[in-house]
Amino acid sequence: MNTRVLTGITTSGTPHLGNYVGAIRPAIQASLEKNVDAFFFLADYHALIKCEDADRIARSRLEIAATWLASGLDPARVTFYRQSDVPEIPELCWMLTCVTAKGLMNRAHAYKASVDQNIAKSVEPDDGINMGLFSYPILMAADILMFNAHKVPVGRDQTQHLEMARDIAQRFNHLYGQGKDFFVLPEAVIAEDVATLPGLDGRKMSKSYNNTVPLFEGGSRALKSTVAKIVTDSRGPGEPKDAEASHLYLIYKAFASSAETAEFRQALAAGMGWGDAKQKLCERIEQELGPKRDDYESLMANPNRIEEILQEGARKARAIATPFIQELRQAVGLRTLITETKSSAAKQAKSGGKGARFVSFRDDAGQFRFRFIGMDGAEIFSSIAYADPKMAGAAMRALQGGDFEAMLTLSGELDFSLTLEGSIVASGVTSVSSAQRAERIEALRAALSPTE
Ligand code: TRP
């Protein structure tokens, strides 16, 4: 199995240079590696926790999707979807919520930080804190565990959330697994070699410090005018400057090759003025981002295209999530009543009962066929056509007396067929989910295997 790499991007802001260098660019690079299945999603349910401005959320989902696509994400290679298009995620979130100790959430850094701020302000400890913030780590665990991700690239501030996801997964496995592990225990991947960009004021570039350089929005003009605001020291042109101590240099370094970086450093030491340095920085950033910005703009002008890509991503994601959540529902006891009737149908068929049964018939062309009908009256499979009714009868008996496992062939997620002496004699009705197919096969196995 390939390594599954998964990461989410909260859709509450407009991407800036720090996001690009720290998350987007390395994640896209990782998605190109061999033996990796990448899952990147827009964490729009998470966005609701901290942003009540509906238009902002809507705009941010669009901008972030366009940004990732323009930055080189290949939706044919990566499963790229919106969290809110996969209803299995909030369903899993609830199952996990019910096995998570409240005490564990009390210890979450993000929640504790808000409480500490309230205490410092001498207001109620939980003032202004919603339940979304409190159980944020459980939703994040559901994001990760839904797809059994092995590796989760995140910022250092998210390590505790990954530990919590592992705790929660273990607890669920222990309570419901009966020796089987439903969930892989995910690992955080904190990139050591990826730069944390300084913002305009030298602190980490972050929306919350309001010190960001926009990535694509506003075009090259916005880039220039923001770079102009990067704080520098007061040394004038001609005076030697210490590159390492300058934010400008650190940003340059994140875009340039090591040779270019060395040259930039020397130019500063030799007295390059800050104005010139800023101009060089803009040119270097433009070289990488200019063509991508063109793609960004054409995507932003065509949101229908983005919607299609995301819908296709949701379809791919749900092809995994739907059967998995069925399995989990079974595990916790949310079982369909039909499943139980079907297996008793199988037992009845075994003991010669009337429930599940073979039915022979002549088709429109006058050929002889048979089908197998489940307890609920629905067809489970039908045979090929035989010219001779005796041949049809013989095939029917051979299926009943044969080695079921040897006769069964699964195809894709939803189909199956039964084979005798190397040729297909019957094809299953296509199921709506792999869980439904599993139920049908279970019923057949019981009905067709010889009675002990
Ligand atoms: N909490 C992450 C952040 O703020 C975003 C996120 C949500 C996420 N769900 C995730 C990241 C799952 C990785 C995996 O950065």
Side-chain angles (χ1 to χ4, degrees):
M1 189 199 197
N2 285 349
T3 304
R4 286 190 177 174
V5 176
L6 174 145
T7 199
I9 311 96
T10 309
T11 54
S12 51
T14 298
H16 55 71
L17 275 195
N19 300 137
Y20 177 77
V21 167
I24 302 171
R25 196 173 58 184
I28 291 176
Q29 260 156 19
S31 76
L32 298 174
E33 273 167 36
K34 271 206 202 112
N35 306 323
V36 162
D37 287 336
F39 293 75
F40 296 158
F41 69 96
L42 306 180
D44 48 2
Y45 281 138
H46 276 102
L48 298 182
I49 293 169
K50 47 184 176 186
C51 176
E52 285 160 13
D53 176 348
D55 294 334
R56 177 86 282 267
I57 298 271
R59 172 85 190 164
S60 174
R61 288 159 106 227
L62 174 64
E63 288 174 352
I64 293 181
T67 297
W68 281 74
L69 292 167
S71 301
L73 179 144
D74 175 2
R77 196 179 171 109
V78 173
T79 304
F80 183 51
Y81 56 99
R82 275 177 299 221
Q83 187 184 31
S84 65
D85 285 335
V86 183
E88 290 81 1
I89 294 171
E91 181 168 359
L92 176 57
C93 181
W94 183 252
M95 292 185 196
L96 300 179
T97 299
C98 296
V99 303
T100 302
K102 175 172 176 285
L104 184 68
M105 294 300 101
N106 288 340
R107 292 194 286 279
H109 298 324
Y111 168 67
K112 277 203 335 204
S114 303
V115 169
D116 289 348
Q117 280 168 18
N118 283 336
I119 291 171
K121 284 189 287 183
S122 317
V123 296
E124 281 291 306
D126 281 334
D127 192 61
I129 298 176
N130 61 42
M131 287 304 293
L133 176 69
F134 185 66
S135 37
Y136 182 111
I138 312 179
L139 180 55
M140 184 159 159
D143 293 331
I144 297 168
L145 302 179
M146 184 85 260
F147 299 100
N148 270 326
H150 303 98
K151 305 214 176 256
V152 182
V154 281
R156 193 172 296 286
D157 58 326
Q158 299 289 316
T159 20
Q160 191 198 29
H161 292 151
L162 262 293
E163 281 159 22
M164 290 177 159
R166 295 165 65 90
D167 273 8
I168 296 170
Q170 265 168 323
R171 175 113 181 104
F172 190 96
N173 283 342
H174 172 73
L175 281 174
Y176 294 114
Q178 297 185 314
K180 165 184 170 163
D181 284 341
F182 286 109
F183 299 126
V184 163
L185 302 186
E187 265 174 55
V189 183
I190 316 277
E192 301 293 347
D193 53 341
V194 166
T196 306
L197 278 201
L200 300 179
D201 55 359
R203 291 186 293 173
K204 176 185 171 187
M205 189 181 291
S206 160
K207 190 173 68 123
S208 31
Y209 295 147
N210 199 19
N211 65 355
T212 62
V213 179
L215 178 57
F216 297 134
E217 279 292 315
S220 56
R221 284 186 51 206
L223 177 70
K224 265 202 204 94
S225 61
T226 327
V227 165
K229 291 185 204 139
I230 296 175
V231 174
T232 59
D233 63 26
S234 55
R235 273 169 246 234
E239 289 182 72
K241 299 172 185 68
D242 176 12
E244 293 296 339
S246 117
H247 323 314
L248 205 70
Y249 170 75
L250 291 177
I251 301 177
Y252 187 87
K253 197 173 159 187
F255 285 88
S257 69
S258 48
E260 289 167 319
T261 306
E263 208 180 294
F264 192 77
R265 174 212 294 268
Q266 276 150 21
L268 280 172
M272 170 167 64
W274 290 123
D276 290 347
K278 285 179 173 178
Q279 161 128 23
K280 276 218 155 55
L281 172 63
C282 282
E283 282 164 9
R284 189 59 190 83
I285 295 177
E286 268 309 297
Q287 196 183 320
E288 178 163 336
L289 294 185
K292 295 183 161 59
R293 189 186 299 112
D294 295 343
D295 290 347
Y296 176 80
E297 276 158 11
S298 65
L299 282 158
M300 288 298 283
N302 190 358
N304 293 2
R305 172 85 194 105
I306 302 181
E307 182 68 32
E308 267 168 36
I309 292 172
L310 290 171
Q311 290 295 342
E312 174 56 20
R315 203 195 52 71
K316 281 203 284 187
R318 294 193 71 195
I320 297 171
T322 309
F324 191 31
I325 202 85
Q326 287 299 337
E327 205 186 320
L328 298 172
R329 291 181 66 117
Q330 289 288 319
V332 300
L334 305 178
R335 298 176 186 149
T336 74
L337 301 178
I338 291 173
T339 311
E340 277 153 29
T341 344
K342 267 193 186 150
S343 55
S344 51
K347 279 191 205 105
Q348 266 196 38
K350 207 168 178 171
S351 58
K354 263 207 135 200
R357 61 201 183 277
F358 281 97
V359 177
S360 310
F361 66 103
R362 277 184 94 163
D363 66 18
D364 296 343
Q367 304 259 73
F368 297 88
R369 294 174 186 260
F370 57 89
R371 46 168 81 101
F372 189 80
I373 307 292
M375 174 71 166
D376 56 0
E379 179 177 319
I380 295 187
F381 69 70
S382 65
S383 76
I384 56 168
Y386 294 89
D388 177 353
K390 282 196 198 118
M391 297 277 287
M396 197 161 38
R397 278 189 302 280
L399 287 182
Q400 281 171 292
D403 172 355
F404 181 71
E405 307 311 324
M407 296 186 298
L408 178 68
T409 309
L410 300 181
S411 46
E413 299 267 319
L414 306 177
D415 294 290
F416 71 90
S417 58
L418 298 171
T419 306
L420 282 174
E421 285 159 6
S423 44
I424 292 182
V425 295
S427 315
V429 173
T430 302
S431 298
V432 296
S433 65
S434 64
Q436 187 187 44
R437 182 180 69 180
E439 270 172 29
R440 287 175 168 166
I441 286 173
E442 191 48 43
L444 262 181
R445 180 180 286 118
L448 296 185
S449 36
T451 1
E452 304 87 44

